[in-house]
Coordinates of all heavy atoms in Angstrom, one line a residue:
Q258 N -39.3 -73.0 -36.5 CA -38.4 -74.1 -36.1 C -37.1 -74.1 -36.8 O -36.1 -74.3 -36.2 CB -39.1 -75.4 -36.2 CG -40.5 -75.6 -35.5 CD -40.3 -75.4 -34.0 OE1 -39.5 -74.6 -33.5 NE2 -41.2 -76.1 -33.2
L259 N -37.1 -73.8 -38.1 CA -35.9 -73.6 -38.8 C -35.0 -72.5 -38.2 O -33.8 -72.6 -38.1 CB -36.1 -73.4 -40.3 CG -34.9 -73.2 -41.2 CD1 -33.9 -74.3 -41.1 CD2 -35.3 -72.9 -42.6
Y260 N -35.7 -71.3 -38.0 CA -35.1 -70.2 -37.3 C -34.3 -70.6 -36.1 O -33.2 -70.3 -35.8 CB -36.0 -69.1 -37.0 CG -35.6 -68.0 -36.1 CD1 -34.9 -66.9 -36.5 CD2 -35.8 -68.2 -34.7 CE1 -34.4 -66.0 -35.6 CE2 -35.4 -67.2 -33.9 CZ -34.7 -66.1 -34.3 OH -34.3 -65.1 -33.4
R261 N -35.0 -71.4 -35.3 CA -34.5 -71.8 -34.0 C -33.3 -72.7 -34.1 O -32.3 -72.6 -33.4 CB -35.6 -72.5 -33.1 CG -36.6 -71.6 -32.6 CD -37.8 -72.3 -32.0 NE -38.5 -71.5 -31.0 CZ -39.7 -71.8 -30.5 NH1 -40.3 -73.0 -30.9 NH2 -40.3 -71.0 -29.7
R262 N -33.4 -73.7 -35.1 CA -32.3 -74.6 -35.3 C -31.1 -73.9 -35.8 O -29.9 -74.2 -35.3 CB -32.7 -75.7 -36.2 CG -33.8 -76.6 -35.7 CD -34.1 -77.8 -36.7 NE -35.3 -78.6 -36.3 CZ -35.2 -79.5 -35.4 NH1 -34.1 -79.9 -34.8 NH2 -36.3 -80.3 -35.1
L263 N -31.2 -73.0 -36.7 CA -30.1 -72.2 -37.1 C -29.4 -71.4 -36.1 O -28.2 -71.4 -35.9 CB -30.5 -71.3 -38.3 CG -30.8 -71.9 -39.6 CD1 -31.4 -71.0 -40.6 CD2 -29.7 -72.6 -40.2
N264 N -30.3 -70.8 -35.2 CA -29.7 -69.9 -34.2 C -29.1 -70.8 -33.1 O -28.1 -70.3 -32.4 CB -30.8 -69.0 -33.6 CG -30.9 -67.7 -34.4 OD1 -30.2 -66.8 -34.2 ND2 -31.9 -67.7 -35.3
C265 N -29.5 -72.0 -32.8 CA -28.8 -72.9 -31.9 C -27.4 -73.1 -32.4 O -26.5 -73.1 -31.6 CB -29.5 -74.2 -31.8 SG -31.0 -74.1 -30.8
R266 N -27.2 -73.3 -33.7 CA -25.8 -73.6 -34.2 C -25.0 -72.3 -34.3 O -23.8 -72.4 -34.1 CB -26.0 -74.3 -35.6 CG -26.3 -75.7 -35.4 CD -27.4 -76.2 -36.5 NE -27.8 -77.6 -36.1 CZ -28.7 -77.9 -35.2 NH1 -29.3 -76.9 -34.6 NH2 -29.0 -79.2 -35.0
L267 N -25.7 -71.2 -34.5 CA -24.9 -69.9 -34.5 C -24.4 -69.6 -33.1 O -23.3 -69.2 -32.9 CB -25.7 -68.8 -35.1 CG -26.0 -68.8 -36.6 CD1 -27.2 -67.8 -37.0 CD2 -24.7 -68.5 -37.3
A268 N -25.3 -69.8 -32.1 CA -24.9 -69.6 -30.7 C -23.8 -70.6 -30.3 O -22.8 -70.2 -29.5 CB -26.1 -69.7 -29.8
Y269 N -23.9 -71.8 -30.8 CA -22.9 -72.8 -30.4 C -21.5 -72.3 -30.9 O -20.4 -72.4 -30.2 CB -23.2 -74.1 -31.0 CG -22.1 -75.2 -30.8 CD1 -22.1 -76.0 -29.7 CD2 -21.0 -75.3 -31.7 CE1 -21.1 -76.9 -29.5 CE2 -20.0 -76.2 -31.4 CZ -20.1 -77.0 -30.4 OH -19.0 -77.9 -30.1
S270 N -21.4 -71.7 -32.1 CA -20.2 -71.3 -32.7 C -19.6 -70.1 -31.8 O -18.3 -70.0 -31.8 CB -20.4 -70.7 -34.0 OG -19.2 -70.5 -34.7
L271 N -20.3 -69.4 -31.1 CA -19.8 -68.3 -30.2 C -19.5 -68.9 -28.8 O -18.4 -68.8 -28.3 CB -20.8 -67.2 -30.1 CG -20.3 -66.0 -29.3 CD1 -19.1 -65.4 -30.0 CD2 -21.4 -64.9 -29.3
W272 N -20.5 -69.6 -28.2 CA -20.3 -70.0 -26.8 C -19.2 -71.0 -26.7 O -18.4 -71.1 -25.7 CB -21.6 -70.7 -26.2 CG -22.8 -69.8 -26.2 CD1 -24.1 -70.3 -26.2 CD2 -22.9 -68.4 -26.0 NE1 -24.9 -69.2 -26.2 CE2 -24.3 -68.1 -26.0 CE3 -21.9 -67.4 -25.8 CZ2 -24.7 -66.8 -25.8 CZ3 -22.4 -66.1 -25.6 CH2 -23.8 -65.8 -25.7
S273 N -19.0 -71.9 -27.8 CA -18.0 -72.9 -27.8 C -16.6 -72.3 -27.7 O -15.6 -73.0 -27.3 CB -18.2 -73.9 -29.0 OG -17.8 -73.2 -30.2
Q274 N -16.4 -71.1 -28.1 CA -15.1 -70.5 -28.0 C -14.7 -70.3 -26.5 O -13.6 -70.4 -26.1 CB -15.1 -69.2 -28.7 CG -15.2 -69.3 -30.2 CD -15.2 -67.9 -30.9 OE1 -14.2 -67.2 -30.7 NE2 -16.2 -67.7 -31.7
L275 N -15.7 -69.9 -25.7 CA -15.4 -69.9 -24.2 C -15.2 -71.2 -23.6 O -14.3 -71.4 -22.8 CB -16.6 -69.1 -23.6 CG -16.9 -67.6 -24.0 CD1 -18.0 -67.1 -23.3 CD2 -15.7 -66.8 -23.7
V276 N -16.0 -72.2 -24.1 CA -15.8 -73.5 -23.6 C -14.4 -74.1 -24.0 O -13.8 -74.8 -23.2 CB -16.9 -74.5 -24.1 CG1 -16.6 -75.9 -23.7 CG2 -18.3 -74.0 -23.6
M277 N -13.9 -73.7 -25.2 CA -12.6 -74.1 -25.6 C -11.5 -73.6 -24.6 O -10.6 -74.3 -24.3 CB -12.4 -73.5 -27.0 CG -11.0 -73.9 -27.6 SD -9.6 -73.0 -27.0 CE -10.0 -71.3 -27.6
L278 N -11.7 -72.4 -24.1 CA -10.7 -71.8 -23.2 C -10.7 -72.7 -21.9 O -9.6 -72.9 -21.4 CB -11.1 -70.5 -22.8 CG -10.9 -69.3 -23.9 CD1 -11.4 -68.0 -23.4 CD2 -9.5 -69.2 -24.3
L279 N -11.8 -73.2 -21.4 CA -11.8 -74.0 -20.3 C -11.3 -75.4 -20.5 O -10.5 -75.8 -19.7 CB -13.3 -74.1 -19.8 CG -13.5 -74.9 -18.4 CD1 -13.1 -73.9 -17.3 CD2 -14.9 -75.4 -18.3
E280 N -11.7 -76.0 -21.6 CA -11.4 -77.4 -21.9 C -10.0 -77.6 -22.5 O -9.3 -78.5 -22.1 CB -12.4 -78.0 -22.9 CG -13.8 -78.1 -22.3 CD -14.7 -78.8 -23.2 OE1 -14.5 -78.9 -24.4 OE2 -15.8 -79.3 -22.7
W281 N -9.6 -76.7 -23.5 CA -8.4 -77.0 -24.2 C -7.3 -76.0 -23.8 O -6.1 -76.3 -23.9 CB -8.6 -76.9 -25.7 CG -9.6 -77.9 -26.2 CD1 -10.9 -77.9 -26.3 CD2 -9.2 -79.3 -26.6 NE1 -11.4 -79.1 -26.8 CE2 -10.4 -80.0 -26.9 CE3 -7.9 -80.0 -26.7 CZ2 -10.4 -81.2 -27.4 CZ3 -7.9 -81.3 -27.2 CH2 -9.1 -81.9 -27.5
W282 N -7.6 -74.8 -23.4 CA -6.6 -73.7 -23.1 C -6.1 -73.9 -21.7 O -4.9 -74.0 -21.4 CB -7.1 -72.4 -23.3 CG -6.2 -71.3 -23.3 CD1 -6.1 -70.3 -22.2 CD2 -5.2 -70.9 -24.1 NE1 -5.1 -69.4 -22.4 CE2 -4.5 -69.7 -23.7 CE3 -4.8 -71.3 -25.4 CZ2 -3.5 -69.1 -24.3 CZ3 -3.7 -70.7 -26.1 CH2 -3.1 -69.6 -25.6

Side-chain angles (χ1 to χ4, degrees):
Q258 303 298 35
L259 176 60
Y260 164 88
R261 287 169 159 174
R262 292 183 188 278
L263 287 174
N264 275 278
C265 284
R266 280 139 190 85
L267 289 168
Y269 177 90
S270 189
L271 186 60
W272 301 150
S273 65
Q274 295 181 50
L275 297 177
V276 174
M277 182 280 299
L278 290 176
L279 186 78
E280 294 184 338
W281 295 94
W282 188 253

